[in-house]
Amino acid sequence: MNDFGANEPKNKPDTPRGNGLLYAVAFTLLAMFSRAFIALVDSLLPFLFSDEFLALASKNIMWSVTALFDLARYLFYIVFIPYLGVLALKKRSGFPKLAVVLFAAHVPISLLAYAGAFAAPGKIAADSAQSLLFGFICSVVFALLWIPYLNKSKLVRHIFRRQAANR
């Protein structure tokens, strides 16, 4: 008779697979956060405070609406994604639902940003449209991977939903 592991609890909440899930979630959220932060700090904020933006906004109101939409979008991601990361690391039961909302909302928001890029004049529209198309494709891939997994996975239910019952 083999009593290997007889003293270990049957349902350990921190399994190696569970930690791998948390690492994958953290990596995905970090990728989304860093993309939003870099876009905000590197290109959008300097452009919003430039004379070029004022000149473009005075000629085309849609361009200023698009720029403000991008500002709101990036600020939302910069605030919401760390909150979601804290929920994941603390293994709160609300994490899977909020993550599904984030990934589901990210697709139409990225599509709106991509459509809004064409409000910009010539060269700016071509440069930003290519980057936004890549962002839209990434958001679709993230949504296609994570939403079914977060809704159907037994491991997600075990880590996040069972933890809430123990509190």
Side-chain angles (χ1 to χ4, degrees), residues 60-81:
N60 186 352
I61 190 69
M62 188 62 189
W63 175 243
S64 59
V65 170
T66 302
L68 292 176
F69 172 75
D70 283 344
L71 178 65
R73 174 174 67 114
Y74 291 139
L75 289 176
F76 171 75
Y77 289 147
I78 287 172
V79 170
F80 189 69
I81 289 174

Side-chain angles (χ1 to χ4, degrees), residues 4-163:
F4 178 72
N7 295 331
E8 294 183 25
K10 297 284 183 199
N11 294 322
K12 294 189 301 182
D14 291 326
T15 62
R17 278 185 69 203
N19 289 336
L21 169 69
L22 292 177
Y23 294 144
V25 166
F27 179 75
T28 302
L29 293 176
L30 182 64
M32 292 175 72
F33 178 81
S34 63
R35 183 167 170 79
F37 186 77
I38 289 169
L40 180 69
V41 173
D42 191 36
S43 60
L44 188 62
L45 284 180
F47 181 70
L48 285 176
F49 294 108
S50 70
D51 293 333
E52 182 184 4
F53 172 72
L54 293 175
L56 287 172
S58 64
K59 294 178 186 174
N60 186 352
I61 190 69
M62 188 62 189
W63 175 243
S64 59
V65 170
T66 302
L68 292 176
F69 172 75
D70 283 344
L71 178 65
R73 174 174 67 114
Y74 291 139
L75 289 176
F76 171 75
Y77 289 147
I78 287 172
V79 170
F80 189 69
I81 289 174
Y83 173 69
L84 201 56
V86 168
L87 286 179
L89 292 177
K90 289 188 171 191
K91 299 178 183 172
R92 302 286 185 193
S93 62
F95 167 75
K97 294 173 191 164
L98 287 175
V100 166
V101 168
L102 174 71
F103 291 125
H106 190 55
V107 173
I109 289 172
S110 297
L111 185 61
L112 283 173
Y114 177 66
F118 294 107
K123 174 107 172 81
I124 296 173
D127 291 343
S128 63
Q130 183 179 10
S131 172
L132 290 171
L133 179 62
F134 176 73
F136 173 68
I137 291 170
C138 286
S139 69
V140 169
V141 169
F142 283 162
L144 288 175
L145 289 175
W146 282 108
I147 291 174
Y149 184 74
L150 290 169
N151 284 332
K152 302 286 183 188
S153 172
K154 290 180 184 176
L155 183 61
V156 170
R157 273 185 267 141
H158 173 74
I159 290 175
F160 296 105
R161 294 191 178 105
R162 193 179 71 78
Q163 293 295 324

